[in-house]
Amino acid sequence: MENPILYRKRFIPDECLELKEDIILDQTDSFIVTKWSTIHQRCDLSHGYSCYFLDRGYKVSKFLKEDGSLLCWYCDIITYDYDKENNKLLVIDLLADVKIYPNGLIKVVDLDELSEAFEKRLIDENLLKKSLLTLNRLLNEIYDNGIESLIGPIENVIAKNNQ
């Protein structure tokens, strides 16, 4: 797929947005790296980079503060649907997330939202299982290899752009 039009679908809150301002910086068969600014103004987060590992089922983002310092690495569990005819990539947030702070602290978050989405029938059993199994795979990768195994594509793009 060549520089698709990116969309983000969330279940909680229920929304589907075209990521018009996101800039695709790099793309291979296994990942897409983007640069973005926050959609809604926030006091803690200004902008960042994301790497969509479509084949692995997660998106790793570098969340940056206004001054460019690292707030955290944020990992979303995702699935996607690609519309080849219209070159549209719909990335679907499967709710479970992992935050990795600069001090090394790892937090799994939003499992309550995953449970709520299942209870309210916003997602089915297949998506629930997919989210949990992918979360397990992601955590095992982080525990076994550290965050470095996931941030290479983002850091390489940043290094190239700073040359």
Side-chain angles (χ1 to χ4, degrees), residues 36 42 44-50 60-65 68-75 97-107 109 147 151 154-155:
W36 48 266
R42 293 177 48 165
D44 59 337
L45 172 63
S46 166
H47 61 287
Y49 298 85
S50 293
V60 177
S61 298
K62 185 175 190 178
F63 281 12
L64 299 170
K65 300 176 190 175
S69 63
L70 178 65
L71 175 64
C72 69
W73 291 95
Y74 199 96
C75 307
D97 302 311
V98 177
K99 288 181 171 182
I100 304 166
Y101 293 94
N103 67 4
L105 175 68
I106 299 171
K107 273 181 91 172
V109 295
I147 187 68
I151 65 174
I154 292 173
E155 295 298 3

Side-chain angles (χ1 to χ4, degrees), residues 35-48:
K35 179 179 182 178
W36 48 266
S37 293
T38 55
I39 295 171
H40 306 289
Q41 190 170 2
R42 293 177 48 165
C43 62
D44 59 337
L45 172 63
S46 166
H47 61 287

Side-chain angles (χ1 to χ4, degrees), residues 9-36:
K9 174 164 180 41
R10 294 172 45 177
F11 294 105
I12 299 175
D14 181 17
E15 67 179 13
C16 186
L17 300 173
E18 180 180 348
L19 302 175
K20 297 179 199 172
E21 305 300 320
D22 288 23
I23 300 166
I24 295 176
L25 300 174
D26 194 12
Q27 184 175 347
T28 70
D29 289 340
S30 58
F31 64 79
I32 298 172
V33 178
T34 64
K35 179 179 182 178
W36 48 266

Side-chain angles (χ1 to χ4, degrees), residues 11-12 94-95 111-124 128:
F11 294 105
I12 299 175
L94 293 181
L95 300 157
L111 294 180
D112 56 336
E113 289 183 0
L114 181 61
S115 176
E116 179 184 338
F118 182 68
E119 286 174 6
K120 291 182 174 178
R121 306 216 185 302
L122 303 174
I123 62 171
D124 62 16
L128 175 66

